[in-house]
Amino acid sequence: MTSMAGMTSAFARASTGSEPELNPTPKPIDIDIDIDNVTNFLNQPIAPLAQLVQSVKANQVSRFQAHETSVLQVQFSPDGNHLLTASSNGSVKLWDRLGQELVEFPHEDHIIWSANFSADGSQIITGAQDGVARLWDRSGQLLQEFTGHEDWVNTAIFSPNGDRILTASSDGTVRLWNLEGEQLLEIKHPDAVWTAAFSPDGEYIATGASDHLARLWDRQGKLLTELKGHRNWVRSIAFSPDGQYIATASSDRTAQLWDLEGKSIAQLAGHTGVVRAIRFSNDGKYIATASEDKTVRLWNLRGQQLARLDGHQDWAIGLGFSPNGRYLASAAADFTVRIWELNLGSNF
């Protein structure tokens, strides 16, 4: 078991350069929720887009303190009624959409790097510093533990149809499991694996590692291509909704867009800190990134910056779009979750 006192030093080996602590000294934060703007925001329709987005305007409509330490991940539930957060103090929480805490999932004092809903929203999978992934129901009942990794579980996700679990670990492996905890596949890497994602159809797996490479595999573990171009760790990876592109975020302070052959389509350059998270919008027409420079940024598929979202007082680490794509949640080392309303501008 790793104590809270050892968490800062543990995080240091997973980061680069002279950086602030993941868990800074707690400071008071005013809870500020604009209920009128948030109450019915999740299911509003989004306007159709032209081929390339030219601008997106983002306005913060909600902010709440989610944890007593850094918030590492945030995700909307598939029905849009809840938020899921994970933190560096061993806490995972389920919230209603107004920022009221509903359930806490106990993990002792391990950093929780990953927390994600199943596609139907009935279950939650978490990945922790103790090398274990855990399956929960929404009431907080532990259903299954996935053991076998020899180091941190940095990513734990469901397959699109919800019948498999994928885990990525600092032990250099990615593993596929059934829901009963039986390991079905192991994909070995030469170095720590920080991130992994399923393609929308569940047939392919993309991984990102500390050897600066992203890789594309088939579901049987056959390597299909390597995505070469980053100059530091690949921290986050995502498939486009149509499955035709892959986006990566890196400690080299850039993000990149790739085709499935491994060709770089665009570089998203502008962040001045490690890029921690990357997500496609739900229509696949633009990309959101979160960085240790405290900003969240939106980009079109040519790598042009559309918007810069300022407000976080420390590293921006996690991102999640609402089901309709109209809102974006960001999580940060300032202990907060912020929700941004996205209004689409004119298009090319």
Side-chain angles (χ1 to χ4, degrees):
M1 181 181 299
T2 303
S3 68
M4 284 297 296
M7 289 173 63
T8 299
S9 59
F11 179 76
R13 74 180 171 91
S15 200
T16 57
S18 177
E19 299 168 333
E21 294 182 356
L22 183 65
N23 304 313
T25 302
K27 48 188 178 289
I29 297 176
D30 294 327
I31 298 177
D32 179 18
I33 301 174
D34 186 341
I35 294 178
D36 289 338
N37 281 332
V38 177
T39 301
N40 297 312
F41 72 92
L42 289 168
N43 296 311
Q44 299 174 19
I46 192 166
L49 293 174
Q51 184 63 32
L52 186 71
V53 178
Q54 183 177 4
S55 66
V56 179
K57 295 181 180 179
N59 299 306
Q60 181 181 303
V61 295
S62 174
R63 175 176 70 101
F64 63 93
Q65 180 171 339
H67 296 272
E68 298 300 320
T69 56
S70 301
V71 189
L72 304 182
Q73 190 161 351
V74 62
Q75 187 187 25
F76 283 99
S77 60
D79 64 7
N81 291 323
H82 299 92
L83 288 164
L84 184 68
T85 60
S87 79
S88 60
N89 70 344
S91 176
V92 173
K93 295 182 180 181
L94 183 67
W95 308 81
D96 70 18
R97 60 191 184 187
L98 298 180
Q100 300 299 311
E101 181 181 332
L102 302 175
V103 180
E104 184 168 7
F105 302 78
H107 285 78
E108 298 184 6
D109 61 354
H110 304 295
I111 299 174
I112 310 302
W113 293 114
S114 181
N116 290 285
F117 285 104
S118 59
D120 65 2
S122 65
Q123 296 180 327
I124 290 165
I125 186 71
T126 61
Q129 184 193 12
D130 64 354
V132 180
R134 294 173 173 89
L135 180 66
W136 312 78
D137 67 20
R138 288 179 63 140
S139 71
Q141 180 180 352
L142 180 63
L143 303 176
Q144 186 62 255
E145 291 188 340
F146 302 82
T147 60
H149 283 297
E150 299 176 357
D151 210 331
W152 305 355
V153 175
N154 300 315
T155 297
I157 58 174
F158 288 92
S159 60
N161 66 3
D163 69 345
R164 297 289 185 266
I165 301 292
L166 187 69
T167 56
S169 171
S170 293
D171 67 8
T173 69
V174 171
R175 305 185 188 204
L176 187 68
W177 317 74
N178 62 24
L179 299 186
E180 288 70 46
E182 178 186 3
Q183 183 178 306
L184 306 176
L185 176 69
E186 179 180 88
I187 303 174
K188 294 183 178 181
H189 292 65
D191 215 331
V193 189
W194 193 256
T195 181
F198 277 107
S199 60
D201 62 6
E203 293 302 314
Y204 301 97
I205 295 167
T207 61
S210 60
D211 61 2
H212 310 178
L213 295 180
R215 295 174 172 88
L216 180 65
W217 314 78
D218 66 20
R219 191 160 171 164
Q220 288 71 47
K222 178 183 177 181
L223 179 63
L224 302 177
T225 189
E226 293 183 337
L227 285 58
K228 301 177 180 179
H230 283 298
R231 301 181 303 280
N232 210 319
W233 284 34
V234 178
R235 293 279 187 173
S236 182
I237 198 163
F239 278 93
S240 60
D242 64 5
Q244 297 303 304
Y245 299 97
I246 295 170
T248 55
S250 172
S251 292
D252 66 10
R253 304 183 178 186
T254 72
Q256 293 202 46
L257 179 65
W258 314 78
D259 66 20
L260 299 188
E261 302 299 320
K263 178 183 177 181
S264 180
I265 303 299
Q267 184 177 85
L268 287 55
H271 282 296
T272 58
V274 171
V275 187
R276 284 271 170 184
I278 193 162
R279 298 286 184 271
F280 279 93
S281 62
N282 296 26
D283 54 28
K285 298 297 179 63
Y286 63 100
I287 293 168
T289 56
S291 170
E292 291 180 12
D293 65 11
K294 307 178 186 178
T295 70
V296 173
R297 306 191 189 207
L298 305 177
W299 316 77
N300 67 20
L301 302 191
R302 291 182 184 168
Q304 298 166 327
Q305 184 175 304
L306 303 173
R308 170 174 164 161
L309 285 56
D310 292 299
H312 283 297
Q313 302 302 304
D314 214 321
W315 298 357
I317 303 175
L319 292 171
F321 280 96
S322 62
N324 61 14
R326 184 78 178 267
Y327 287 76
L328 177 68
S330 59
D334 63 7
F335 318 152
T336 70
V337 168
R338 296 169 189 251
I339 298 176
W340 313 82
E341 182 180 16
L342 307 176
N343 295 304
L344 302 175
S346 57
N347 306 302
F348 290 126

